[in-house]
PDB file of all heavy atoms in Angstrom:
ATOM      1  N   GLY N 122     129.184 119.424  65.901  1.00 93.00           N
ATOM      2  CA  GLY N 122     129.298 120.702  65.010  1.00 93.00           C
ATOM      3  C   GLY N 122     129.999 120.365  63.690  1.00 93.00           C
ATOM      4  O   GLY N 122     130.319 121.343  63.010  1.00 93.00           O
ATOM      5  N   ASP N 123     130.523 119.201  63.539  1.00 92.00           N
ATOM      6  CA  ASP N 123     131.386 118.839  62.442  1.00 92.00           C
ATOM      7  C   ASP N 123     130.441 118.704  61.192  1.00 92.00           C
ATOM      8  O   ASP N 123     130.984 118.844  60.095  1.00 92.00           O
ATOM      9  CB  ASP N 123     132.158 117.615  62.550  1.00 92.00           C
ATOM     10  CG  ASP N 123     133.225 117.871  63.629  1.00 92.00           C
ATOM     11  OD1 ASP N 123     133.589 118.947  63.943  1.00 92.00           O
ATOM     12  OD2 ASP N 123     133.532 116.799  64.303  1.00 92.00           O
ATOM     13  N   MET N 124     129.275 118.287  61.448  1.00 93.00           N
ATOM     14  CA  MET N 124     128.333 118.131  60.299  1.00 93.00           C
ATOM     15  C   MET N 124     126.952 118.682  60.602  1.00 93.00           C
ATOM     16  O   MET N 124     126.692 119.080  61.743  1.00 93.00           O
ATOM     17  CB  MET N 124     128.140 116.523  60.090  1.00 93.00           C
ATOM     18  CG  MET N 124     129.216 115.734  59.490  1.00 93.00           C
ATOM     19  SD  MET N 124     128.836 113.926  59.346  1.00 93.00           S
ATOM     20  CE  MET N 124     127.787 113.988  57.876  1.00 93.00           C
ATOM     21  N   SER N 125     126.064 118.702  59.610  1.00 94.00           N
ATOM     22  CA  SER N 125     124.784 119.194  59.703  1.00 94.00           C
ATOM     23  C   SER N 125     123.863 118.031  59.480  1.00 94.00           C
ATOM     24  O   SER N 125     124.281 117.001  58.898  1.00 94.00           O
ATOM     25  CB  SER N 125     124.564 120.396  58.648  1.00 94.00           C
ATOM     26  OG  SER N 125     123.273 120.741  58.771  1.00 94.00           O
ATOM     27  N   LEU N 126     122.580 118.181  59.804  1.00 92.00           N
ATOM     28  CA  LEU N 126     121.652 117.137  59.362  1.00 92.00           C
ATOM     29  C   LEU N 126     121.413 117.063  57.942  1.00 92.00           C
ATOM     30  O   LEU N 126     121.347 116.060  57.329  1.00 92.00           O
ATOM     31  CB  LEU N 126     120.226 117.423  60.031  1.00 92.00           C
ATOM     32  CG  LEU N 126     120.120 117.122  61.545  1.00 92.00           C
ATOM     33  CD1 LEU N 126     118.711 117.508  62.020  1.00 92.00           C
ATOM     34  CD2 LEU N 126     120.426 115.587  61.815  1.00 92.00           C
ATOM     35  N   VAL N 127     121.452 118.240  57.284  1.00 96.00           N
ATOM     36  CA  VAL N 127     121.175 118.434  55.790  1.00 96.00           C
ATOM     37  C   VAL N 127     122.474 119.012  55.197  1.00 96.00           C
ATOM     38  O   VAL N 127     122.934 120.075  55.697  1.00 96.00           O
ATOM     39  CB  VAL N 127     119.886 119.181  55.439  1.00 96.00           C
ATOM     40  CG1 VAL N 127     119.713 119.327  53.973  1.00 96.00           C
ATOM     41  CG2 VAL N 127     118.711 118.598  56.235  1.00 96.00           C
ATOM     42  N   GLY N 128     122.882 118.487  54.068  1.00 95.00           N
ATOM     43  CA  GLY N 128     124.102 119.142  53.253  1.00 95.00           C
ATOM     44  C   GLY N 128     124.626 118.049  52.414  1.00 95.00           C
ATOM     45  O   GLY N 128     124.147 116.920  52.375  1.00 95.00           O
ATOM     46  N   PRO N 129     125.569 118.395  51.610  1.00 94.00           N
ATOM     47  CA  PRO N 129     126.210 117.381  50.757  1.00 94.00           C
ATOM     48  C   PRO N 129     126.854 116.394  51.584  1.00 94.00           C
ATOM     49  O   PRO N 129     127.364 116.650  52.722  1.00 94.00           O
ATOM     50  CB  PRO N 129     127.286 118.236  50.043  1.00 94.00           C
ATOM     51  CG  PRO N 129     126.838 119.740  50.155  1.00 94.00           C
ATOM     52  CD  PRO N 129     126.099 119.731  51.563  1.00 94.00           C
ATOM     53  N   ARG N 130     127.008 115.170  51.125  1.00 88.00           N
ATOM     54  CA  ARG N 130     127.810 114.134  51.743  1.00 88.00           C
ATOM     55  C   ARG N 130     129.242 114.454  51.975  1.00 88.00           C
ATOM     56  O   ARG N 130     129.836 115.107  51.038  1.00 88.00           O
ATOM     57  CB  ARG N 130     127.555 112.799  50.998  1.00 88.00           C
ATOM     58  CG  ARG N 130     126.255 112.226  50.896  1.00 88.00           C
ATOM     59  CD  ARG N 130     125.680 111.843  52.217  1.00 88.00           C
ATOM     60  NE  ARG N 130     126.443 110.754  52.866  1.00 88.00           N
ATOM     61  CZ  ARG N 130     126.523 110.528  54.101  1.00 88.00           C
ATOM     62  NH1 ARG N 130     125.811 111.215  54.926  1.00 88.00           N
ATOM     63  NH2 ARG N 130     127.245 109.613  54.670  1.00 88.00           N
ATOM     64  N   PRO N 131     129.771 113.919  53.083  1.00 89.00           N
ATOM     65  CA  PRO N 131     131.180 114.313  53.241  1.00 89.00           C
ATOM     66  C   PRO N 131     131.956 113.559  52.104  1.00 89.00           C
ATOM     67  O   PRO N 131     131.571 112.595  51.597  1.00 89.00           O
ATOM     68  CB  PRO N 131     131.543 113.624  54.612  1.00 89.00           C
ATOM     69  CG  PRO N 131     130.228 113.414  55.234  1.00 89.00           C
ATOM     70  CD  PRO N 131     129.170 113.251  54.062  1.00 89.00           C
ATOM     71  N   MET N 132     133.077 114.227  51.751  1.00 89.00           N
ATOM     72  CA  MET N 132     133.969 113.720  50.774  1.00 89.00           C
ATOM     73  C   MET N 132     135.451 113.576  51.297  1.00 89.00           C
ATOM     74  O   MET N 132     135.772 114.429  52.055  1.00 89.00           O
ATOM     75  CB  MET N 132     133.830 114.656  49.540  1.00 89.00           C
ATOM     76  CG  MET N 132     134.554 114.069  48.302  1.00 89.00           C
ATOM     77  SD  MET N 132     134.105 115.297  46.997  1.00 89.00           S
ATOM     78  CE  MET N 132     132.592 114.729  46.247  1.00 89.00           C
ATOM     79  N   LEU N 133     136.042 112.440  50.817  1.00 89.00           N
ATOM     80  CA  LEU N 133     137.403 112.334  51.211  1.00 89.00           C
ATOM     81  C   LEU N 133     138.232 113.460  50.504  1.00 89.00           C
ATOM     82  O   LEU N 133     137.930 113.886  49.331  1.00 89.00           O
ATOM     83  CB  LEU N 133     137.867 110.971  50.804  1.00 89.00           C
ATOM     84  CG  LEU N 133     137.257 109.839  51.528  1.00 89.00           C
ATOM     85  CD1 LEU N 133     137.606 108.464  50.916  1.00 89.00           C
ATOM     86  CD2 LEU N 133     137.468 109.835  52.974  1.00 89.00           C
ATOM     87  N   SER N 134     139.346 113.814  51.151  1.00 89.00           N
ATOM     88  CA  SER N 134     140.109 114.929  50.409  1.00 89.00           C
ATOM     89  C   SER N 134     140.610 114.650  49.099  1.00 89.00           C
ATOM     90  O   SER N 134     140.701 115.443  48.221  1.00 89.00           O
ATOM     91  CB  SER N 134     141.282 115.367  51.466  1.00 89.00           C
ATOM     92  OG  SER N 134     142.124 114.300  51.621  1.00 89.00           O
TER      93      SER N 134
END
Side-chain angles (χ1 to χ4, degrees):
D123 297 334
M124 288 181 74
S125 177
L126 287 176
V127 180
R130 293 296 300 159
M132 189 174 275
L133 298 171
S134 60

